[in-house]
Amino acid sequence: MKKKYTNSSEPFNKKQQDLAPEKSFGHDQYLTTNQGVKINDDNNSLKAGDRGPSLLEDFILREKITHFDHERIPERIVHARGSAAHGYFQPYGNISQYTKARFLQDPNSITPVFVRFSTVAGFRGSTDLARDVRGFAVKFYTEEGNYDLVGNNVPVFFIQDASKFPDLIHAVKPEPHHEMPQAASAHDTFWDFISLMPESMHMIMWAMSDRAIPRSYRMMEGFGVHTFRFINAENKSTFVKFHWKPKLGTHAVVWDEAQKISGKDPDFHRRDLWEAIENGNYPEWELGVQLIPEEDEHKFDFDLLDPTKIVPEELVPVTLIGKMVLNKNPDNFFAETEQVAFHPGHVVPGIDFTNDPLLQGRLFSYTDTQLSRLGSPNFHEIPINRPINAMHNNQRDGHMRQEINTGRVSYFPNSLGGGCPYQAKMAEGGFTSYEERIDAKKIRERSESFKDHFSQAVLFYESQNETEKQHIANALKFELSKVETVVIRERMVGLLAKINENLAKEVAASLGIVIKEIEKPINQGIGADTDSQKHEPTTAKKPETLSKALSMIENPTNPNDIATRMIAFLCSDGVNEDSVNIMKNELESKNAVVKIIGTNANSIKCDSGNTLKVDFNLLSTTSVVFDGVFIPSGKESVEKLVQQPQTAEFINDAFKHCKPIAAENEGIHIISNSDIGKNITSDQKLPAGVFSEKENKTQLTENFVNALAKHRIWEREKILN
Ligand code: HDD
């Protein structure tokens, strides 16, 4: 008899369930509809006959498809691409002298946090390695309610007034007629806007520096950008700037590498964060504050309210007040990372705003955007957004309301509910705004004190070392060469000339512009001459003191640390097992991560006869996702590797991207076979950061480790350019 064909999966038996790698559902749970009705067949829709039309009656099918049809929500208008993690914050001591915020007082207290890192311009599926500012948003779930520090990895912003934010974002997003380019600022509309907005030049210097292509989210600084206020129990205000300092140091990739990673592994930063946490390498930052007494508000030659300015660390040092550790990946990307709603207006008693006109505009924007993105004023009830302390008020109803409020009182004041929930006095932790005296005319004006757009752009540029300056020039050459409208390029070169003439000349030469021809008024351009932009930029002077803190290379954190750096070992059959193990043990003892790259995807037979597990096949990985390369000895292994064209490509890229490379004994053949070979001197000296000590293994290991700690061998760029 013909067996009835249903293609229906038989329920797993108990033993199979126990073996399942995923335990996201509890065992013995039946598949049900959203109404809790057990489903008997989830593989076949209800049809009239086994070949017949589907029936509208099939409520199981309809429910499943309807839900699927509505699975997407609008992505964030900016910062759409992001990754997040859970962790905790712990203060180092008591700073009640400055702020009454309770989560900053007790070194034994732990405040849960959820942190989302992001790029700004790209869509949700875009590459992590775009040249862009990175969002660094921290939600502290404090006992006094949620506090969000919604910052970036750059301490300043492009614009001074929130009214320009939609213009900035329209300009940087893909151009509206053909929606290109994705996640890139290298196009006409962005640079058109920037060339007409001299106030953006300080931020442009940061965005063109390697800060905009971080090595990892774990290796970025974070900044609150605006000046905020700390308020203590006596209601005294102190201005505060927030800084996050990464324990792993601040590191970047190089631009050629960033572009290659974008193709090879567009999830590079997401994967890096996820894997570090899964492997127990919990990323850590220290929270720093720059504290400025209220009386010193006007002491600086810039305005504390101007978000295009930093307070140089040399003027006001950063005091470290606590640490943040990220130690748990989200369970569900959509429920947590996508639905988390940050807002710079989520503050707790002890933290308050200043009149920074960019911050003031932000205070409106974030709730408003959640209404369309998350679809309801009840987005605070989504688990990731809920405060950990109890929340009571008279707000009611609305789409997707979760709470079932009881009773008939939903107003204040009331007597029927005994006046509850009642207001908290200041001493009871009630939030009161700082009583700042305001006595002013209602005007649309930019303060005179906001008009110097260039001094700090110069300070940043001049504080970079030669390598960093060259990278800025290269980035500008790349970006502006993608701009098709010549007058925009010219205006940009004009603005650059206000920062550094040589920089402007170098960029101009690469664009084929003669610098003399472009000495036109800087604000030239349609729409640029409005009252709000009437301040002509002053030509900036070179600062007397530079700021070492602004240079990533000159200001390394933990300069001897190679923790979590990824090292590729190129191996094939016949590799010398000792050579692998000695270097591996040394690197792993310093908490670096070693990956065996093999000529197949499974395992390698060592010269000892033992097998070595392969992490990646040479064909499916790439040198750009590693921080350094080691070629162990083993004649047969080296011969096999030399035959693979990917080997030379691997080494060439590592060499070009200034990464440390070490080879033992026969491994030198791979080095001589690559581009490095052309740079070996007649007395057999290897280029900087390339090591091959034949006899002395200890020296080889030591040299390699020291070079890895430097992150990159920048002097190599001189021989490459
Ligand atoms: Fe913003 C998201 C950071 C200016 C309007 N912003 C957003 C995120 C970060 C920042 C990190 C992503 C949060 C997350 O991961 O969900 N934004 C900044 C910084 C700024 C800034 C550091 C300047 C100092 N932003 C800014 C202005 C406006 C906005 C001037 C509007 C007037 N930002 C938004 C937004 C977003 C947002 C449209 C999009 C998604 C969201 O809020 O939740 O409201």
Side-chain angles (χ1 to χ4, degrees), residues 565-693:
R565 301 285 167 82
M566 301 277 289
I567 319 300
F569 280 31
L570 298 190
C571 308
S572 191
D573 289 332
V575 71
N576 181 275
E577 194 179 9
D578 282 350
S579 172
V580 171
N581 286 340
I582 291 170
M583 184 63 95
K584 188 168 186 276
N585 292 344
E586 183 62 24
L587 294 172
E588 288 181 345
S589 73
K590 297 189 159 41
N591 207 14
V593 180
V594 169
K595 295 286 176 194
I596 305 293
I597 316 297
T599 42
N600 71 58
N602 189 16
S603 62
I604 280 168
K605 207 160 197 183
C606 301
D607 57 355
S608 60
N610 291 335
T611 45
L612 184 64
K613 192 185 155 305
V614 166
D615 295 301
F616 298 106
N617 185 344
L618 192 54
L619 286 177
S620 61
T621 190
T622 159
S623 128
V624 288
V625 298
F626 294 96
D627 296 294
V629 189
F630 175 56
I631 309 154
S633 63
K635 193 160 172 289
E636 188 193 337
S637 165
V638 167
E639 275 166 9
K640 285 198 168 134
L641 282 165
V642 167
Q643 283 161 20
Q644 301 276 333
Q646 292 79 17
T647 306
E649 194 184 324
F650 204 99
I651 299 292
N652 291 346
D653 264 354
F655 184 60
K656 184 171 172 192
H657 302 142
C658 302
K659 292 173 183 173
I661 300 167
E664 203 177 315
N665 290 332
E666 302 85 355
I668 189 72
H669 295 309
I670 292 183
I671 287 187
S672 352
N673 252 332
S674 69
D675 288 349
I676 307 176
K678 297 173 210 151
N679 293 288
I680 299 177
T681 56
S682 50
D683 57 348
Q684 295 303 300
K685 225 174 144 222
L686 292 169
V690 183
F691 309 102
S692 168
E693 274 78 352

Side-chain angles (χ1 to χ4, degrees), residues 76-77 79 116 151-152 157 165 226 342 362 365-366 370:
R76 289 167 175 82
I77 173 78
H79 297 267
R116 184 172 180 273
N152 282 338
F157 206 63
F165 192 68
H226 313 282
F342 292 95
R362 292 180 77 194
S365 180
Y366 289 70
Q370 312 309 347

Side-chain angles (χ1 to χ4, degrees), residues 121-160:
F123 294 168
R124 215 186 115 178
S126 58
T127 171
D128 281 340
L129 263 288
R131 171 173 296 283
D132 199 351
V133 176
R134 299 298 184 284
F136 192 130
V138 182
K139 190 178 282 293
F140 297 83
Y141 301 90
T142 88
E143 286 169 19
E144 297 179 290
N146 287 350
Y147 167 52
D148 293 353
L149 183 52
V150 196
N152 282 338
N153 76 330
V154 169
V156 287
F157 206 63
F158 290 106
I159 49 170
Q160 296 174 322

